């Protein structure tokens, strides 16, 4: 397995095409198009392909280094939630359609169906980001504050260490618990199909089920790895800041973490961009923890999942060869 992953990291061609696993489906993002392919309950494939509209084309400053990381992260969150909600429509929890609430009817009447959907998607993104910040940033800070309450004389660097270790433990625990859920495990199997399909394409092989099935399911440029590096960078950056300014109040420390978050995301994006395009000792070392975490976020897909990945990738391949070079 380790040899397979090492060979995969060293593939001569690296594509910028990336994807996201959905509910019984996969979204692929190419340089010009994005495509969502969902396996319908009747066994057929539902394909939705659209042209991409990049915000940096309208506002070039948003494509500058460090700024682009924050912008792309927010856009990815919005796009991902939109795709996830779309795939969920094919698998409602109740067979009978639910009657819209008075609030939903009011929004539909005032804004129209498309703007109402955009409102709910934005709200879902905000709630999701608030949950992530609360779980991975606020909670560890409050827990380390509890340690200070019981042990007020411990050095500040020990508190920073406890806070950072707690953040990593919560992140890993969250992923492990999610991987034990049956429905999420299927999503993670589609995640494996996405990785295998991209590997097959990067190696220049024909996109067939047989060729894709033989590829590794761990990918060095996975978004899960990016999130882990975000946490590590936030620990290092906050430790540097707190070594100069000794904030002990947990709520004040939380505000500092929130203020540093855009800097952390922007810096991590640039690190991820560099690591994704190089294969040296440093880059392999940075990739290794993220590759290990994928043991909980990617599982072996079945052939029907691989078919979804192949179709989604084919939809976004650029007409101009090499345009998707990393």
């Amino acid at each position: 397995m380790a040899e397979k992953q090492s060979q995969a990291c060293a593939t001569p061609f690296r594509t910028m095409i990336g994807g996201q696993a959905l509910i019984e489906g996969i979204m692929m993002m190419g340089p010009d198009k994005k495509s969502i392919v969902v396996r319908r309950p009747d066994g057929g494939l539902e394909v939705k392909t659209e042209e991409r509209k990049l915000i940096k084309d309208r506002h070039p400053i948003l494509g500058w280094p460090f700024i682009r990381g924050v912008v792309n992260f927010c856009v990815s969150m919005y796009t991902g939630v939109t795709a996830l909600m779309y795939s969920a429509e094919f698998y409602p929890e109740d067979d009978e359609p639910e009657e819209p609430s008075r609030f939903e009817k009011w929004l539909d009447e005032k804004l129209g169906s498309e703007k109402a959907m955009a409102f709910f998607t934005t709200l879902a993104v905000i709630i999701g980001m608030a949950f992530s910040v609360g779980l991975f940033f606020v909670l560890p800070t409050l827990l380390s504050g509890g340690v200070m309450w019981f042990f007020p004389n411990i050095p500040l660097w020990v508190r920073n260490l406890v806070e950072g270790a707690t953040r990593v433990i919560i992140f890993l625990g969250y992923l492990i618990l999610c991987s034990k859920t049956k429905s999420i495990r299927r999503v993670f199997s589609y995640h494996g199909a996405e990785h295998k399909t991209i590997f097959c394409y990067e190696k220049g092989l024909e996109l067939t089920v047989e060729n894709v099935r033989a590829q590794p399911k761990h990918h060095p440029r996975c978004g899960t790895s990016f999130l882990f590096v975000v946490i590590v960078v936030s620990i290092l950056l906050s430790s540097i800041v707190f070594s100069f300014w000794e904030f002990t109040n947990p709520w004040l420390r939380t505000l500092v973490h929130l203020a540093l978050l855009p800097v952390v995301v922007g810096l991590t994006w640039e690190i991820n961009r560099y690591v994704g395009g190089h294969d040296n000792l440093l880059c392999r070392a940075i990739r290794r923890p993220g590759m290990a975490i994928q043991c909980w976020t990617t599982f072996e897909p079945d052939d029907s999942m691989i078919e979804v990945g192949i179709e989604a990738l084919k939809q976004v391949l650029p007409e101009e060869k090499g345009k998707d070079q990393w």
Side-chain angles (χ1 to χ4, degrees):
M1 175 65 74
E3 183 181 353
K4 251 188 176 183
Q5 290 177 7
S6 178
Q7 291 174 357
C9 291
T11 50
F13 175 73
R14 296 179 176 90
T15 181
M16 63 174 286
I17 296 175
Q20 176 182 320
L22 307 172
I23 298 173
E24 299 298 328
I26 292 174
M27 175 182 67
M28 288 285 188
M29 302 276 286
D32 302 312
K33 299 177 182 178
K34 68 175 179 179
S35 182
I36 301 173
V37 179
V38 180
R39 177 74 67 182
R40 297 191 305 265
D42 63 7
L45 295 181
E46 187 72 22
V47 181
K48 180 182 179 183
T49 304
E50 301 174 343
E51 296 290 329
R52 289 188 66 186
K53 298 177 181 178
L54 302 179
I55 192 170
K56 68 178 182 179
D57 292 340
R58 288 175 290 164
H59 308 285
I61 190 175
L62 299 182
W64 290 7
F66 298 104
I67 296 176
R68 64 188 175 188
V70 179
V71 174
N72 288 338
F73 178 76
C74 294
V75 171
S76 297
M77 284 284 293
Y78 184 88
T79 304
V81 170
T82 303
L84 199 59
M85 292 172 65
Y86 174 77
S87 67
E89 293 176 2
F90 295 92
Y91 293 88
E93 294 183 2
D94 300 320
D95 293 334
E96 296 182 4
E98 187 178 342
E99 182 70 18
S101 65
R102 291 176 62 184
F103 178 63
E104 290 173 325
K105 291 180 179 177
W106 181 83
L107 278 179
D108 191 36
E109 180 183 339
K110 298 295 182 181
L111 302 178
S113 58
E114 289 188 7
K115 289 185 177 180
M117 178 57 69
F119 170 82
F120 285 116
T121 303
T122 303
L123 184 62
V125 170
I126 293 173
I127 293 174
M129 293 182 71
F131 173 79
S132 299
V133 169
L135 185 62
F136 304 128
F137 289 90
V138 178
L139 181 58
T141 302
L142 295 180
L143 290 176
S144 67
V147 173
M148 291 290 287
W149 176 268
F150 290 104
F151 305 98
N153 295 322
I154 63 173
L156 194 60
W157 69 266
V158 175
R159 176 175 181 172
N160 294 338
L161 181 64
V162 170
E163 186 176 312
T166 303
R167 195 173 298 162
V168 172
I169 291 170
I170 290 175
F171 178 71
L172 295 179
Y174 176 77
L175 291 181
I176 293 171
L177 286 175
C178 287
S179 69
K180 302 299 181 183
T181 307
K182 185 177 179 181
S183 58
I184 299 298
R185 193 178 180 89
R186 280 194 63 83
V187 174
F188 286 172
S189 293
Y190 275 100
H191 191 190
E194 174 224 328
H195 285 182
K196 284 172 172 279
T197 306
I198 291 177
F199 265 137
C200 186
Y201 168 64
E202 288 182 321
K203 290 182 178 180
L205 301 175
E206 184 182 358
L207 291 174
T208 65
V209 172
E210 291 74 19
N211 287 341
V212 171
R213 191 194 301 126
Q215 305 307 315
K217 61 184 175 67
H218 293 183
H219 200 285
R221 297 184 297 282
C222 175
T224 308
S225 304
F226 171 77
L227 292 177
F228 182 76
V229 178
V230 164
I231 290 178
V232 173
V233 170
S234 72
I235 292 172
L236 296 176
L237 189 59
S238 61
S239 296
I240 293 172
V241 171
F242 293 145
S243 66
F244 289 98
W245 295 280
E246 296 188 0
F247 297 106
T248 56
N249 183 287
W251 294 110
L252 188 57
R253 286 175 69 94
T254 299
L255 289 176
V256 173
H257 281 305
L258 294 178
L260 289 175
L261 196 53
V263 180
V264 169
V265 172
L267 180 59
T268 305
W269 189 274
E270 299 304 323
I271 293 173
N272 187 64
R273 188 178 179 87
Y274 175 82
V275 170
H278 297 79
D279 188 43
N280 52 47
L281 185 62
L282 175 63
C283 292
R284 287 194 293 272
I286 294 174
R287 281 196 295 258
R288 189 171 293 277
M291 296 285 283
I293 289 172
Q294 291 177 51
C295 291
W296 298 303
T297 63
T298 57
F299 296 111
E300 286 294 334
D302 58 35
D303 288 354
S304 67
M305 296 175 180
I306 291 175
E307 289 172 356
V308 172
I310 292 173
E311 183 59 36
L313 180 57
K314 284 181 176 179
Q315 291 290 322
V316 301
L317 292 178
E319 296 179 3
E320 181 184 337
K321 186 176 177 61
K323 189 176 182 180
D324 58 319
Q325 176 80 40
W326 180 271

